Amino acid sequence: MRFNGCCALVIAITVAGFAIAQPANPMDNTAPCAAEKADVEKRMEVARSKGQMLLRRQLADQLATLQSSCHPTAADESRAANIERLEKEVRVLRAELEAAEERLHKLKGEANR
């Protein structure tokens, strides 16, 4: 249980630190926001491919914080864009689940030898 509390603390500190570092006026930073979002998405993909799911989740939280600061109100998003974003998130989570299940089966197979 101590590990879970520690991980939650690391995630909270990461997200809080990132949120504090954001500029006061989110409308003036559209180009930097897009570049930073692309960088975080790339790092998420690398973390996912390396099986670093905790880091990927931390980066996902960071990306969510970045997206909320770059888009001041969720009301500006169209329903279709929201659906597309959620579908993408579901696809990513399914891929992570499949990778985790594969590692679990591999570990169980090694334990049975």
Side-chain angles (χ1 to χ4, degrees):
M1 284 310 238
R2 179 178 174 173
F3 181 73
N4 289 337
C6 183
C7 291
L9 181 61
V10 168
I11 291 170
I13 291 171
T14 302
V15 171
F18 189 80
I20 291 170
Q22 292 302 308
N25 188 354
M27 294 304 290
D28 294 340
N29 63 350
T30 54
C33 276
E36 196 163 352
K37 283 195 284 189
D39 178 59
V40 172
E41 288 172 345
K42 179 181 175 186
R43 291 186 311 173
M44 283 174 59
E45 183 59 32
V46 169
R48 187 200 59 78
S49 69
K50 291 182 178 181
Q52 299 171 331
M53 294 305 133
L54 176 59
L55 175 59
R56 204 229 48 93
R57 278 185 236 114
Q58 291 170 340
L59 289 168
D61 291 341
Q62 185 177 354
L63 181 61
T65 302
L66 180 61
Q67 287 172 332
S68 68
S69 67
C70 289
H71 300 289
T73 61
D76 293 340
E77 286 188 37
S78 70
R79 184 172 188 255
N82 196 23
I83 290 170
E84 184 178 331
R85 181 183 54 80
L86 288 172
E87 286 175 341
K88 180 180 178 183
E89 186 177 340
V90 167
R91 285 191 300 272
V92 168
L93 291 172
R94 281 188 181 139
E96 287 179 17
L97 178 60
E98 289 174 8
E101 286 176 338
E102 185 177 315
R103 287 194 311 274
L104 177 62
H105 291 301
K106 185 185 267 187
L107 284 173
K108 284 183 175 181
E110 290 173 0
N112 290 335
R113 291 182 191 172

XYZ file of all heavy atoms in Angstrom:
861
model
N 0.809 -1.191 0.000
C 0.000 0.000 0.000
C 0.853 1.255 0.000
O 0.464 2.252 -0.557
C -0.913 0.005 1.221
C -2.063 -0.933 1.074
S -2.905 -0.680 -0.495
C -4.508 -0.330 0.027
N 2.009 1.212 0.623
C 2.869 2.385 0.675
C 3.284 2.806 -0.722
O 3.383 3.979 -1.020
C 4.077 2.083 1.537
C 5.022 3.236 1.631
C 6.177 2.910 2.515
N 7.117 4.011 2.451
C 8.162 4.128 3.183
N 8.432 3.204 4.082
N 8.976 5.142 3.055
N 3.554 1.870 -1.597
C 3.944 2.176 -2.965
C 2.848 2.932 -3.692
O 3.121 3.912 -4.373
C 4.273 0.868 -3.705
C 4.717 1.098 -5.114
C 5.968 1.630 -5.397
C 3.876 0.813 -6.164
C 6.364 1.849 -6.697
C 4.260 1.031 -7.462
C 5.503 1.545 -7.736
N 1.575 2.523 -3.530
C 0.466 3.214 -4.186
C 0.334 4.643 -3.702
O 0.093 5.546 -4.486
C -0.848 2.461 -3.970
C -0.889 1.173 -4.750
O -0.188 1.016 -5.738
N -1.688 0.234 -4.297
N 0.476 4.873 -2.416
C 0.406 6.222 -1.870
C 1.541 7.081 -2.392
O 1.361 8.256 -2.707
N 2.710 6.487 -2.503
C 3.871 7.203 -3.016
C 3.644 7.578 -4.477
O 3.943 8.700 -4.884
C 5.110 6.330 -2.871
S 6.625 7.149 -3.408
N 3.120 6.645 -5.269
C 2.849 6.918 -6.679
C 1.810 8.015 -6.834
O 1.957 8.898 -7.675
C 2.358 5.654 -7.386
S 3.644 4.423 -7.536
N 0.788 7.963 -6.027
C -0.249 8.997 -6.091
C 0.345 10.349 -5.739
O 0.013 11.365 -6.363
C -1.395 8.654 -5.142
N 1.247 10.383 -4.776
C 1.893 11.630 -4.392
C 2.762 12.164 -5.525
O 2.722 13.353 -5.830
C 2.728 11.420 -3.127
C 3.458 12.646 -2.581
C 2.443 13.719 -2.206
C 4.291 12.271 -1.383
N 3.516 11.293 -6.178
C 4.359 11.706 -7.298
C 3.503 12.273 -8.426
O 3.815 13.320 -8.995
C 5.219 10.517 -7.808
C 5.872 10.845 -9.132
C 6.257 10.151 -6.767
N 2.405 11.612 -8.727
C 1.513 12.087 -9.785
C 0.927 13.440 -9.413
O 0.905 14.364 -10.230
C 0.400 11.059 -10.052
C 0.992 9.796 -10.695
C -0.679 11.643 -10.959
C 0.043 8.637 -10.773
N 0.467 13.575 -8.181
C -0.128 14.836 -7.742
C 0.880 15.971 -7.811
O 0.564 17.074 -8.271
C -0.676 14.700 -6.324
N 2.112 15.714 -7.387
C 3.147 16.749 -7.430
C 3.477 17.109 -8.870
O 3.634 18.289 -9.195
C 4.406 16.281 -6.662
C 4.111 16.221 -5.165
C 5.589 17.202 -6.947
C 5.195 15.570 -4.348
N 3.565 16.109 -9.734
C 3.864 16.364 -11.143
C 2.789 17.223 -11.781
O 3.080 18.214 -12.442
C 3.994 15.034 -11.915
O 5.010 14.246 -11.309
C 4.324 15.273 -13.363
N 1.551 16.854 -11.580
C 0.437 17.599 -12.173
C 0.359 18.995 -11.594
O 0.196 19.979 -12.322
C -0.889 16.836 -11.985
C -2.067 17.689 -12.402
C -0.861 15.550 -12.788
N 0.507 19.113 -10.279
C 0.426 20.425 -9.644
C 1.560 21.329 -10.108
O 1.345 22.503 -10.424
C 0.451 20.284 -8.126
N 2.751 20.782 -10.197
C 3.891 21.570 -10.665
C 3.708 22.028 -12.091
O 4.030 23.161 -12.449
N 3.187 21.166 -12.910
C 2.961 21.536 -14.306
C 1.878 22.594 -14.416
O 1.989 23.533 -15.203
C 2.576 20.296 -15.118
C 2.532 20.559 -16.586
C 3.695 20.585 -17.327
C 1.337 20.803 -17.222
C 3.663 20.849 -18.671
C 1.292 21.068 -18.564
C 2.443 21.093 -19.294
N 0.833 22.472 -13.626
C -0.256 23.447 -13.667
C 0.229 24.815 -13.205
O -0.161 25.844 -13.761
C -1.415 22.978 -12.802
N 1.088 24.845 -12.217
C 1.606 26.108 -11.712
C 2.499 26.778 -12.751
O 2.509 27.993 -12.886
C 2.383 25.888 -10.389
C 1.408 25.489 -9.289
C 3.175 27.124 -9.989
C 2.075 25.009 -8.026
N 3.218 25.982 -13.534
C 4.156 26.517 -14.513
C 3.473 27.093 -15.746
O 4.123 27.696 -16.575
C 5.132 25.422 -14.935
N 2.177 26.925 -15.866
C 1.472 27.426 -17.045
C 1.310 28.931 -16.987
O 1.122 29.504 -15.924
C 0.085 26.771 -17.162
C 0.154 25.304 -17.479
C 0.900 25.028 -18.771
O 0.610 25.598 -19.799
N 1.898 24.164 -18.691
N 1.360 29.604 -18.149
C 1.189 31.042 -18.173
C -0.208 31.451 -17.716
O -1.166 30.676 -17.807
C 1.386 31.419 -19.646
C 1.696 30.188 -20.375
C 1.630 29.034 -19.441
N -0.328 32.699 -17.265
C -1.596 33.188 -16.745
C -2.650 33.326 -17.833
O -3.826 33.103 -17.595
C -1.390 34.530 -16.056
N -2.263 33.687 -19.040
C -3.208 33.885 -20.132
C -3.070 32.750 -21.142
O -2.187 32.789 -21.992
C -2.967 35.236 -20.807
C -4.049 35.557 -21.805
O -4.908 34.733 -22.074
N -3.995 36.741 -22.371
N -3.913 31.726 -21.086
C -3.767 30.570 -21.948
C -4.033 30.861 -23.420
O -3.637 30.099 -24.273
C -4.779 29.563 -21.398
C -5.757 30.382 -20.660
C -5.040 31.594 -20.175
N -4.697 31.936 -23.743
C -5.021 32.223 -25.140
C -3.806 32.698 -25.927
O -3.770 32.629 -27.132
C -6.127 33.286 -25.225
C -7.458 32.816 -24.676
S -8.063 31.312 -25.453
C -8.475 31.950 -27.064
N -2.756 33.208 -25.260
C -1.594 33.754 -25.938
C -0.565 32.699 -26.301
O 0.450 33.024 -26.890
C -0.920 34.812 -25.053
C -1.808 36.020 -24.862
O -2.733 36.219 -25.673
O -1.567 36.757 -23.882
N -0.795 31.446 -25.962
C 0.237 30.435 -26.161
C -0.238 29.268 -27.009
O 0.110 28.138 -26.730
C 0.767 29.960 -24.806
C -0.301 29.281 -23.973
O -1.482 29.319 -24.306
N 0.108 28.657 -22.896
N -0.966 29.524 -28.063
C -1.510 28.415 -28.852
C -0.421 27.616 -29.552
O -0.478 26.394 -29.563
C -2.532 28.923 -29.888
O -1.915 29.946 -30.673
C -3.781 29.453 -29.209
N 0.578 28.276 -30.141
C 1.653 27.543 -30.812
C 2.496 26.749 -29.820
O 2.742 25.560 -30.044
C 2.511 28.487 -31.640
N 2.945 27.365 -28.718
C 3.696 26.577 -27.739
C 2.874 25.437 -27.148
O 3.398 24.369 -26.872
C 4.076 27.587 -26.657
C 4.040 28.904 -27.331
C 2.960 28.786 -28.368
N 1.569 25.663 -26.960
C 0.707 24.603 -26.431
C 0.687 23.404 -27.374
O 0.807 22.265 -26.938
C -0.717 25.105 -26.229
S -0.951 25.946 -24.656
N 0.536 23.676 -28.652
C 0.483 22.585 -29.628
C 1.794 21.820 -29.646
O 1.802 20.581 -29.680
C 0.160 23.142 -31.014
N 2.906 22.537 -29.589
C 4.216 21.877 -29.594
C 4.418 21.065 -28.323
O 4.916 19.932 -28.368
C 5.323 22.920 -29.732
N 4.023 21.629 -27.197
C 4.188 20.921 -25.934
C 3.277 19.696 -25.866
O 3.673 18.637 -25.374
C 3.924 21.859 -24.757
C 4.453 21.309 -23.460
C 4.573 22.363 -22.378
O 4.385 23.559 -22.664
O 4.848 21.967 -21.242
N 2.043 19.824 -26.363
C 1.131 18.673 -26.394
C 1.721 17.565 -27.256
O 1.686 16.393 -26.876
C -0.244 19.079 -26.909
C -1.075 19.818 -25.887
C -2.528 19.890 -26.266
C -2.773 20.898 -27.348
N -4.186 21.155 -27.618
N 2.274 17.935 -28.416
C 2.877 16.929 -29.299
C 4.044 16.234 -28.607
O 4.215 15.009 -28.722
C 3.337 17.581 -30.602
N 4.844 17.002 -27.862
C 5.979 16.420 -27.141
C 5.506 15.446 -26.072
O 6.037 14.338 -25.940
C 6.817 17.534 -26.514
C 7.984 16.982 -25.714
O 8.816 16.259 -26.307
O 8.053 17.263 -24.497
N 4.496 15.844 -25.306
C 3.979 14.964 -24.249
C 3.376 13.705 -24.863
O 3.584 12.598 -24.368
C 2.958 15.708 -23.362
C 2.271 14.756 -22.390
C 3.649 16.822 -22.593
N 2.637 13.841 -25.959
C 2.050 12.672 -26.626
C 3.139 11.726 -27.118
O 3.011 10.501 -27.005
C 1.158 13.119 -27.777
C -0.137 13.760 -27.310
C -0.943 14.386 -28.430
O -0.405 14.587 -29.544
O -2.126 14.683 -28.191
N 4.232 12.283 -27.650
C 5.347 11.453 -28.124
C 5.984 10.700 -26.953
O 6.244 9.505 -27.042
C 6.383 12.337 -28.813
C 7.585 11.591 -29.331
C 8.572 12.545 -29.984
C 9.830 11.812 -30.394
N 10.854 12.740 -30.902
N 6.188 11.415 -25.825
C 6.771 10.760 -24.657
C 5.834 9.692 -24.096
O 6.281 8.660 -23.602
C 7.112 11.791 -23.586
C 8.270 12.693 -24.013
C 8.736 13.620 -22.940
N 7.607 14.314 -22.343
C 7.696 15.093 -21.278
N 8.830 15.279 -20.678
N 6.618 15.689 -20.804
N 4.516 9.928 -24.189
C 3.541 8.917 -23.755
C 3.674 7.654 -24.593
O 3.646 6.541 -24.068
C 2.110 9.460 -23.876
C 1.711 10.408 -22.786
S 0.094 11.159 -23.061
C -0.969 9.726 -23.132
N 3.806 7.831 -25.894
C 3.929 6.683 -26.791
C 5.214 5.901 -26.507
O 5.218 4.672 -26.493
C 3.883 7.145 -28.251
C 3.926 6.027 -29.248
C 2.790 5.025 -29.113
O 1.687 5.420 -28.707
O 3.019 3.830 -29.415
N 6.317 6.613 -26.270
C 7.584 5.952 -25.944
C 7.447 5.182 -24.631
O 7.873 4.028 -24.536
C 8.737 6.983 -25.875
C 9.992 6.364 -25.284
C 9.016 7.565 -27.260
N 6.838 5.816 -23.634
C 6.643 5.151 -22.341
C 5.768 3.911 -22.502
O 6.054 2.865 -21.921
C 6.019 6.116 -21.334
N 4.704 4.015 -23.303
C 3.824 2.875 -23.529
C 4.581 1.746 -24.223
O 4.486 0.586 -23.850
C 2.615 3.271 -24.377
C 1.590 2.141 -24.481
C 0.660 2.282 -25.653
N 1.326 2.315 -26.924
C 1.816 1.248 -27.568
N 1.743 0.064 -27.034
N 2.395 1.367 -28.733
N 5.401 2.091 -25.225
C 6.124 1.059 -25.965
C 7.172 0.364 -25.102
O 7.502 -0.792 -25.339
C 6.782 1.651 -27.209
O 7.848 2.509 -26.851
N 7.661 1.059 -24.086
C 8.650 0.468 -23.182
C 8.004 -0.203 -21.981
O 8.687 -0.697 -21.104
C 9.623 1.540 -22.699
C 10.541 2.045 -23.795
C 11.511 3.056 -23.246
C 12.466 3.521 -24.318
N 13.432 4.490 -23.779
N 6.671 -0.168 -21.921
C 5.969 -0.798 -20.806
C 6.012 0.018 -19.526
O 5.764 -0.511 -18.454
N 6.294 1.299 -19.630
C 6.359 2.176 -18.460
C 4.989 2.821 -18.249
O 4.773 3.990 -18.535
C 7.442 3.232 -18.665
C 8.816 2.641 -18.836
C 9.837 3.675 -19.261
O 9.515 4.650 -19.914
N 11.077 3.433 -18.878
N 4.055 2.030 -17.748
C 2.671 2.469 -17.651
C 2.471 3.571 -16.607
O 1.650 4.468 -16.805
C 1.752 1.283 -17.343
C 1.697 0.269 -18.471
S 1.218 1.029 -20.024
C 2.438 0.325 -21.110
N 3.217 3.540 -15.525
C 3.086 4.599 -14.524
C 3.504 5.935 -15.140
O 2.797 6.934 -15.005
C 3.923 4.295 -13.284
C 3.930 5.400 -12.212
C 2.515 5.676 -11.715
C 4.838 5.021 -11.073
N 4.630 5.944 -15.826
C 5.082 7.168 -16.485
C 4.077 7.610 -17.532
O 3.770 8.792 -17.656
C 6.460 6.958 -17.126
C 7.014 8.127 -17.945
C 7.147 9.373 -17.076
C 8.340 7.752 -18.577
N 3.505 6.668 -18.271
C 2.527 7.012 -19.298
C 1.294 7.655 -18.669
O 0.768 8.626 -19.182
C 2.121 5.772 -20.106
C 1.600 6.207 -21.475
C 0.293 5.605 -21.910
N -0.818 5.569 -21.064
C -1.807 6.493 -21.011
N -1.768 7.568 -21.724
N -2.832 6.318 -20.235
N 0.866 7.111 -17.531
C -0.290 7.697 -16.854
C 0.027 9.094 -16.325
O -0.810 9.993 -16.385
C -0.751 6.791 -15.709
C -1.626 5.657 -16.219
C -2.194 4.830 -15.075
N -1.787 3.460 -15.353
C -0.947 2.743 -14.614
N -0.457 3.196 -13.506
N -0.621 1.526 -14.968
N 1.242 9.287 -15.816
C 1.646 10.611 -15.348
C 1.655 11.600 -16.512
O 1.201 12.741 -16.370
C 3.027 10.550 -14.700
C 3.039 9.804 -13.385
C 4.445 9.553 -12.885
O 5.413 9.592 -13.645
N 4.560 9.270 -11.598
N 2.165 11.153 -17.654
C 2.181 12.018 -18.827
C 0.763 12.297 -19.323
O 0.479 13.397 -19.808
C 3.030 11.394 -19.938
C 4.543 11.386 -19.663
C 5.262 10.494 -20.661
C 5.113 12.790 -19.675
N -0.126 11.318 -19.198
C -1.521 11.535 -19.594
C -2.156 12.604 -18.710
O -2.893 13.471 -19.199
C -2.314 10.233 -19.506
N -1.852 12.567 -17.415
C -2.349 13.607 -16.510
C -1.766 14.968 -16.884
O -2.468 15.979 -16.885
C -1.998 13.273 -15.056
C -2.763 12.082 -14.517
O -3.816 11.737 -15.107
O -2.316 11.495 -13.525
N -0.491 14.955 -17.223
C 0.164 16.193 -17.639
C -0.475 16.733 -18.917
O -0.716 17.929 -19.041
C 1.652 15.924 -17.859
C 2.468 17.152 -18.173
C 3.946 16.819 -18.308
O 4.384 15.702 -18.065
N 4.722 17.806 -18.697
N -0.777 15.841 -19.852
C -1.413 16.251 -21.106
C -2.807 16.815 -20.843
O -3.189 17.833 -21.423
C -1.502 15.063 -22.073
C -2.120 15.348 -23.432
C -1.318 16.389 -24.198
C -2.213 14.057 -24.238
N -3.551 16.188 -19.952
C -4.886 16.690 -19.620
C -4.807 18.088 -19.021
O -5.608 18.970 -19.358
C -5.582 15.733 -18.658
N -3.839 18.295 -18.152
C -3.647 19.617 -17.562
C -3.280 20.632 -18.633
O -3.817 21.742 -18.667
C -2.546 19.569 -16.487
O -2.904 18.617 -15.498
C -2.333 20.929 -15.851
N -2.391 20.234 -19.518
C -1.984 21.122 -20.609
C -3.160 21.456 -21.511
O -3.358 22.611 -21.890
C -0.863 20.461 -21.416
C -0.314 21.238 -22.597
C 0.278 22.562 -22.131
C 0.734 20.423 -23.320
N -3.966 20.463 -21.837
C -5.116 20.699 -22.705
C -6.124 21.637 -22.041
O -6.696 22.499 -22.697
C -5.784 19.377 -23.078
C -4.964 18.587 -24.069
C -5.518 17.197 -24.308
O -6.156 16.612 -23.456
N -5.249 16.659 -25.484
N -6.319 21.479 -20.756
C -7.276 22.361 -20.085
C -6.760 23.786 -20.003
O -7.544 24.731 -20.040
C -7.625 21.827 -18.701
O -6.505 21.912 -17.848
N -5.456 23.945 -19.918
C -4.914 25.306 -19.849
C -4.837 25.948 -21.230
O -4.905 27.164 -21.343
C -3.540 25.302 -19.186
O -2.603 24.640 -20.000
N -4.709 25.144 -22.265
C -4.656 25.690 -23.623
C -6.052 25.985 -24.146
O -6.223 26.829 -25.006
C -3.969 24.710 -24.572
S -2.195 24.594 -24.279
N -7.034 25.277 -23.675
C -8.427 25.496 -24.058
C -9.170 25.931 -22.812
O -9.539 25.094 -21.985
C -9.048 24.219 -24.628
C -8.343 23.726 -25.846
N -8.405 24.367 -27.040
C -7.545 22.646 -26.045
C -7.675 23.715 -27.933
N -7.143 22.670 -27.353
N -9.419 27.226 -22.670
C -9.945 27.731 -21.407
C -11.286 27.147 -20.984
O -11.536 27.004 -19.816
C -10.067 29.235 -21.621
C -9.815 29.479 -23.056
C -9.220 28.254 -23.650
N -12.153 26.802 -21.920
C -13.438 26.233 -21.515
C -13.731 24.983 -22.320
O -13.476 24.916 -23.522
C -14.590 27.236 -21.728
O -14.664 27.552 -23.113
C -14.381 28.508 -20.929
N -14.270 24.007 -21.643
C -14.637 22.770 -22.320
C -15.840 22.980 -23.233
O -16.081 22.190 -24.135
C -14.939 21.684 -21.292
N -16.592 24.052 -22.995
C -17.771 24.325 -23.817
C -17.390 24.633 -25.260
O -18.210 24.477 -26.165
C -18.556 25.496 -23.230
N -16.138 25.049 -25.478
C -15.683 25.355 -26.829
C -15.514 24.090 -27.679
O -15.511 24.147 -28.894
C -14.358 26.123 -26.797
C -14.524 27.511 -26.202
O -15.671 28.010 -26.170
O -13.515 28.091 -25.773
N -15.331 22.950 -27.023
C -15.161 21.703 -27.766
C -16.504 21.245 -28.310
O -17.516 21.270 -27.626
C -14.612 20.609 -26.851
C -13.167 20.768 -26.509
C -12.636 19.567 -25.763
O -13.050 18.423 -26.078
O -11.839 19.780 -24.861
N -16.477 20.819 -29.530
C -17.719 20.296 -30.091
C -17.950 18.886 -29.564
O -17.035 18.229 -29.068
C -17.641 20.281 -31.610
O -16.720 19.298 -32.041
N -19.150 18.444 -29.674
C -19.501 17.098 -29.194
C -18.706 16.045 -29.963
O -18.202 15.084 -29.391
C -21.007 16.893 -29.371
C -21.495 15.572 -28.829
C -23.025 15.524 -28.857
N -23.498 14.353 -28.175
C -23.979 13.282 -28.795
N -24.080 13.274 -30.095
N -24.385 12.248 -28.097
N -18.558 16.242 -31.268
C -17.813 15.286 -32.091
C -16.345 15.220 -31.669
O -15.755 14.133 -31.619
C -17.930 15.656 -33.557
N -15.753 16.372 -31.384
C -14.351 16.388 -30.956
C -14.191 15.689 -29.616
O -13.211 14.967 -29.397
C -13.856 17.826 -30.870
N -15.153 15.865 -28.732
C -15.112 15.211 -27.433
C -15.227 13.697 -27.591
O -14.507 12.936 -26.944
C -16.228 15.753 -26.543
C -16.024 15.419 -25.088
O -14.908 15.168 -24.655
N -17.111 15.417 -24.342
N -16.124 13.261 -28.455
C -16.275 11.826 -28.726
C -14.992 11.254 -29.302
O -14.528 10.187 -28.892
C -17.474 11.573 -29.663
C -18.784 11.858 -28.922
C -17.449 10.151 -30.223
C -20.013 11.862 -29.810
N -14.402 11.968 -30.254
C -13.153 11.506 -30.877
C -12.028 11.390 -29.850
O -11.280 10.419 -29.831
C -12.750 12.474 -31.988
C -11.519 12.025 -32.749
C -11.182 12.977 -33.878
O -12.091 13.627 -34.421
O -9.992 13.064 -34.207
N -11.930 12.385 -28.963
C -10.908 12.365 -27.928
C -11.096 11.172 -26.992
O -10.144 10.464 -26.665
C -10.948 13.670 -27.136
C -9.895 13.757 -26.025
C -10.017 15.026 -25.221
N -11.339 15.271 -24.674
C -11.819 14.692 -23.576
N -11.103 13.809 -22.935
N -13.029 14.983 -23.137
N -12.334 10.919 -26.603
C -12.610 9.794 -25.715
C -12.359 8.456 -26.399
O -11.849 7.521 -25.773
C -14.048 9.869 -25.193
C -14.303 10.971 -24.165
C -15.791 11.072 -23.866
C -13.515 10.729 -22.896
N -12.695 8.356 -27.673
C -12.427 7.122 -28.410
C -10.930 6.854 -28.490
O -10.482 5.712 -28.335
C -13.035 7.193 -29.808
C -14.543 7.058 -29.817
C -15.157 7.250 -31.201
O -14.496 7.835 -32.089
O -16.305 6.814 -31.383
N -10.147 7.910 -28.717
C -8.692 7.759 -28.765
C -8.170 7.295 -27.413
O -7.326 6.399 -27.333
C -8.039 9.080 -29.162
C -6.539 9.009 -29.246
C -5.939 10.341 -29.652
C -4.419 10.243 -29.687
N -3.806 11.533 -30.019
N -8.681 7.886 -26.347
C -8.256 7.501 -25.003
C -8.596 6.038 -24.723
O -7.794 5.305 -24.143
C -8.921 8.416 -23.979
C -8.445 8.190 -22.569
C -9.056 9.156 -21.571
O -9.544 10.225 -21.981
O -9.044 8.826 -20.380
N -9.765 5.602 -25.152
C -10.168 4.206 -24.959
C -9.223 3.279 -25.724
O -8.806 2.237 -25.205
C -11.638 3.991 -25.388
C -11.971 2.519 -25.489
C -12.576 4.682 -24.406
N -8.877 3.659 -26.961
C -7.947 2.828 -27.741
C -6.596 2.708 -27.041
O -6.015 1.616 -26.971
C -7.764 3.404 -29.152
C -8.939 3.171 -30.067
C -8.600 3.506 -31.522
N -8.209 4.893 -31.707
C -9.039 5.894 -31.944
N -10.336 5.670 -32.020
N -8.584 7.125 -32.121
N -6.099 3.814 -26.509
C -4.809 3.798 -25.807
C -4.893 2.921 -24.566
O -4.007 2.098 -24.315
C -4.373 5.241 -25.439
C -3.215 5.237 -24.460
C -4.018 6.025 -26.688
N -5.960 3.069 -23.805
C -6.119 2.268 -22.590
C -6.264 0.782 -22.911
O -5.723 -0.070 -22.193
C -7.314 2.771 -21.775
C -7.120 4.142 -21.130
C -8.433 4.627 -20.521
C -6.026 4.115 -20.087
N -6.968 0.457 -23.992
C -7.081 -0.956 -24.392
C -5.729 -1.530 -24.764
O -5.407 -2.673 -24.414
C -8.061 -1.095 -25.559
C -9.499 -1.056 -25.136
C -10.438 -1.388 -26.277
N -11.815 -1.321 -25.810
C -12.800 -0.803 -26.495
N -12.597 -0.304 -27.697
N -14.018 -0.774 -25.990
N -4.926 -0.744 -25.489
C -3.586 -1.204 -25.859
C -2.733 -1.422 -24.618
O -1.992 -2.414 -24.528
C -2.926 -0.192 -26.797
N -2.839 -0.528 -23.648
C -2.107 -0.692 -22.393
C -2.558 -1.938 -21.649
O -1.739 -2.687 -21.110
C -2.299 0.522 -21.492
C -1.559 1.741 -21.937
C -1.804 2.909 -21.007
O -2.273 2.716 -19.874
O -1.513 4.033 -21.436
N -3.866 -2.155 -21.618
C -4.401 -3.334 -20.944
C -3.896 -4.607 -21.607
O -3.475 -5.545 -20.932
C -5.933 -3.299 -20.940
C -6.631 -4.498 -20.308
C -6.226 -4.649 -18.847
C -8.131 -4.364 -20.446
N -3.922 -4.646 -22.922
C -3.429 -5.822 -23.641
C -1.957 -6.065 -23.346
O -1.540 -7.207 -23.128
C -3.657 -5.653 -25.143
C -5.107 -5.751 -25.542
C -5.331 -5.440 -27.026
O -4.344 -5.296 -27.775
O -6.503 -5.335 -27.417
N -1.149 -4.995 -23.320
C 0.275 -5.145 -23.018
C 0.478 -5.654 -21.599
O 1.309 -6.532 -21.359
C 0.995 -3.809 -23.223
N -0.296 -5.133 -20.649
C -0.185 -5.577 -19.261
C -0.613 -7.031 -19.116
O 0.021 -7.807 -18.398
C -1.027 -4.679 -18.356
N -1.695 -7.419 -19.807
C -2.149 -8.813 -19.754
C -1.103 -9.739 -20.358
O -0.860 -10.831 -19.836
C -3.486 -8.967 -20.476
C -4.654 -8.398 -19.701
C -5.963 -8.466 -20.466
O -5.947 -8.548 -21.711
O -7.016 -8.440 -19.810
N -0.462 -9.304 -21.423
C 0.578 -10.113 -22.050
C 1.751 -10.314 -21.095
O 2.264 -11.428 -20.955
C 1.058 -9.419 -23.333
C 2.063 -10.230 -24.123
C 2.448 -9.524 -25.410
O 1.557 -9.014 -26.107
O 3.656 -9.501 -25.703
N 2.160 -9.243 -20.415
C 3.253 -9.362 -19.443
C 2.843 -10.269 -18.285
O 3.643 -11.063 -17.791
C 3.658 -7.986 -18.926
C 4.419 -7.158 -19.948
C 5.099 -5.945 -19.337
N 4.240 -5.135 -18.486
C 3.439 -4.169 -18.905
N 3.366 -3.886 -20.178
N 2.699 -3.486 -18.047
N 1.582 -10.167 -17.847
C 1.092 -11.007 -16.764
C 1.136 -12.483 -17.160
O 1.620 -13.319 -16.396
C -0.342 -10.603 -16.390
C -1.024 -11.452 -15.314
C -0.271 -11.364 -14.000
C -2.473 -11.025 -15.154
N 0.660 -12.788 -18.352
C 0.683 -14.181 -18.821
C 2.119 -14.683 -18.931
O 2.408 -15.830 -18.582
C -0.033 -14.316 -20.157
C -1.522 -14.118 -20.065
N -2.341 -14.886 -19.270
C -2.340 -13.223 -20.675
C -3.591 -14.491 -19.374
N -3.621 -13.458 -20.223
N 3.020 -13.819 -19.386
C 4.421 -14.204 -19.511
C 5.005 -14.507 -18.135
O 5.689 -15.512 -17.949
C 5.208 -13.096 -20.200
C 6.651 -13.457 -20.473
C 7.416 -12.254 -21.050
C 7.374 -12.311 -22.553
N 8.242 -11.268 -23.157
N 4.719 -13.652 -17.157
C 5.212 -13.868 -15.801
C 4.639 -15.129 -15.179
O 5.345 -15.894 -14.505
C 4.888 -12.669 -14.915
C 5.758 -11.436 -15.124
C 5.220 -10.268 -14.301
C 7.199 -11.714 -14.749
N 3.353 -15.366 -15.403
C 2.734 -16.585 -14.879
C 3.346 -17.812 -15.524
O 3.563 -18.826 -14.876
C 1.223 -16.560 -15.113
C 0.486 -15.666 -14.160
C -1.018 -15.750 -14.390
C -1.794 -14.956 -13.381
N -3.250 -15.047 -13.591
N 3.636 -17.720 -16.834
C 4.260 -18.834 -17.533
C 5.645 -19.128 -16.998
O 6.044 -20.279 -16.850
N 6.413 -18.077 -16.690
C 7.741 -18.257 -16.141
C 7.671 -18.823 -14.726
O 8.517 -19.618 -14.329
C 8.488 -16.930 -16.119
C 8.870 -16.428 -17.491
C 9.465 -15.034 -17.463
O 9.592 -14.434 -16.369
O 9.792 -14.530 -18.558
N 6.660 -18.459 -13.965
C 6.516 -18.944 -12.593
C 6.138 -20.415 -12.570
O 6.469 -21.127 -11.615
C 5.463 -18.133 -11.844
N 5.452 -20.893 -13.596
C 5.013 -22.296 -13.631
C 6.095 -23.245 -14.108
O 5.882 -24.442 -14.118
C 3.781 -22.431 -14.525
C 2.562 -21.784 -13.909
O 2.480 -21.641 -12.696
N 1.629 -21.353 -14.744
N 7.213 -22.724 -14.509
C 8.297 -23.595 -15.016
C 9.077 -24.215 -13.922
O 9.231 -23.906 -12.862
C 9.257 -22.781 -15.901
C 8.602 -22.380 -17.185
C 9.573 -21.644 -18.035
N 8.857 -21.037 -19.148
C 9.386 -20.207 -19.990
N 10.659 -19.917 -19.916
N 8.712 -19.691 -20.961
